[in-house]
């Protein structure tokens, strides 16, 4: 690979990609060639006569920072409309169990801010009903900061999440599998089976597609924009609006930094407007004093 190859890759193949994607690919290539240079430079030169050199240079290295996407979530009435329509669909849908599973997973995303990858990796045993006032979810595969690996956390089943889970386990889960005590039994099973007849773990595509289909049917204005991550933003905004402080929301969502949590609820904050109103009131009082 030569610098001209990198020129074509970043200038043509990835030309329309988000800047975050271009930056990540450039970093991956840089790290790989650094590894070759440090560990195998002499060996490669002996075998090929070529000197290892990174194709990413100052001319073709992508610049800028990751794109900052503002994921403004739907309002509470819109989300209520979605789940009301989706819930009504359960009575008439062709495949009740998979539809109910997708409904439950999306409900948890909106209630306690689970990531879709976290929901897929939950086991039945990760529900700790005995902990706290409502029970807790042991999220064992939370997203790590800066590639540090999975970060575990305990998520309280607030906001109605406990009722959602009890209904799913008591009325739906048995239609996938009949062994609640099996070690490693997934909370959200797939319709596909393992060789021993037990249910496999659902994939994130199934949950994403289920949410997309429900949005198209029951909340068409959001048909192309409602994703699991948007539901996570909705959860943060509603928890903040309900009075939960930033540290509490940070703990629920599993963020490493409070600044990240603040970006999830910025659409609900009114500190700029409040400061402007207060400033106008102070200015009016000063004007009254001068005129008096």
């Amino acid at each position: 690979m030569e610098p001209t190859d990198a020129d074509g890759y970043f200038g043509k193949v990835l030309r329309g990609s988000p800047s975050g994607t271009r930056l990540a690919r450039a970093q991956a290539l840089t790290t790989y060639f650094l590894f070759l240079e440090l560990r195998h430079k002499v060996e490669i030169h002996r075998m090929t006569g070529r000197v290892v050199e990174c194709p990413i240079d100052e001319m073709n290295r992508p610049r800028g920072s990751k794109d900052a996407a503002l994921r403004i979530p739907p309002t509470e009435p819109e989300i209520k409309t979605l789940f009301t329509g989706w819930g009504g669909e359960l009575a008439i849908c062709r495949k009740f169990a998979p539809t109910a599973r997708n409904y439950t997973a999306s409900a948890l995303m909106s209630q306690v801010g689970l990531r879709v990858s976290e929901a897929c990796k939950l086991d039945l045993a990760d529900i700790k009903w005995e902990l706290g006032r409502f029970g807790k979810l042991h999220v064992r595969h939370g997203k790590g900061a800066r590639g540090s690996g999975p970060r575990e956390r305990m998520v309280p089943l607030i906001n109605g999440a406990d009722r959602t889970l009890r209904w799913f386990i008591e009325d739906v889960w048995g239609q996938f599998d009949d062994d609640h005590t099996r070690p490693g039994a997934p909370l959200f099973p797939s319709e596909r089976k393992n060789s021993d007849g037990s249910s496999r773990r659902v994939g994130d595509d199934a949950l994403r597609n289920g949410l997309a289909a429900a949005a198209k049917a029951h909340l068409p204005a959001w048909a192309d924009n409602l994703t699991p991550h948007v539901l996570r933003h909705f959860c943060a905004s509603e928890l903040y609006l309900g009075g939960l402080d930033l540290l509490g929301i940070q703990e629920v969502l599993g963020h490493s930094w409070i600044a990240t949590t603040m970006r999830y609820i910025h659409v609900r904050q009114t500190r700029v407007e409040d400061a402007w109103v207060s400033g106008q009131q102070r200015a009016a009082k000063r004007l009254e004093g001068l005129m008096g």
Side-chain angles (χ1 to χ4, degrees), residues 101 103-123 126-127 136-143 151-159 161 164-165 187-188 207-208 211 227-236 239 249 251-255 264:
R101 176 202 61 204
Y103 171 93
T104 302
S106 294
L108 286 179
M109 295 172 201
S110 70
Q111 291 166 333
V112 292
L114 288 181
R115 299 179 177 93
V116 65
S117 59
E118 296 170 344
C120 291
K121 295 174 182 177
L122 286 170
D123 289 348
D126 290 328
I127 307 175
K136 295 181 186 291
L137 267 180
H138 182 196
V139 178
R140 294 174 291 109
H141 298 279
K143 182 180 178 182
R151 296 179 70 245
E152 297 184 56
R153 72 182 189 278
M154 300 299 292
V155 178
L157 295 175
I158 57 176
N159 209 19
T164 300
L165 272 180
L187 174 59
F188 295 116
L207 299 184
R208 291 180 188 277
L211 175 60
T227 65
H229 201 67
V230 170
L231 288 182
R232 189 167 152 84
H233 279 250
F234 169 79
C235 172
L239 291 178
I249 299 173
E251 183 177 345
V252 171
L253 297 185
H255 288 149
Y264 276 60

Side-chain angles (χ1 to χ4, degrees), residues 32 44 71 84 97-98 115 119 131 141-142 144 193 197 213 247 251 253 270 280 283 287-288:
Y32 175 66
I44 292 176
R71 295 181 176 89
T84 298
R115 299 179 177 93
L131 298 182
H141 298 279
K193 301 293 184 180
L247 290 176
E251 183 177 345
L253 297 185
T270 59
Q280 293 294 306
L287 184 60
E288 289 177 3

Side-chain angles (χ1 to χ4, degrees), residues 160-187:
D162 56 335
R163 296 189 298 273
T164 300
L165 272 180
R166 287 188 187 278
W167 166 77
F168 176 73
I169 293 170
E170 293 173 2
D171 296 348
V172 182
W173 196 91
Q175 299 192 33
F176 289 100
D177 206 327
D178 58 1
D179 188 0
H180 287 74
T181 62
R182 178 170 59 86
L187 174 59

Side-chain angles (χ1 to χ4, degrees), residues 234-265:
F234 169 79
C235 172
S237 300
E238 290 303 305
L239 291 178
Y240 182 77
L241 194 63
L244 191 61
D245 59 39
L246 286 174
L247 290 176
I249 299 173
Q250 179 188 13
E251 183 177 345
V252 171
L253 297 185
H255 288 149
S256 299
W257 307 100
I258 195 71
T260 305
T261 304
M262 292 177 66
R263 289 201 296 270
Y264 276 60
I265 59 177

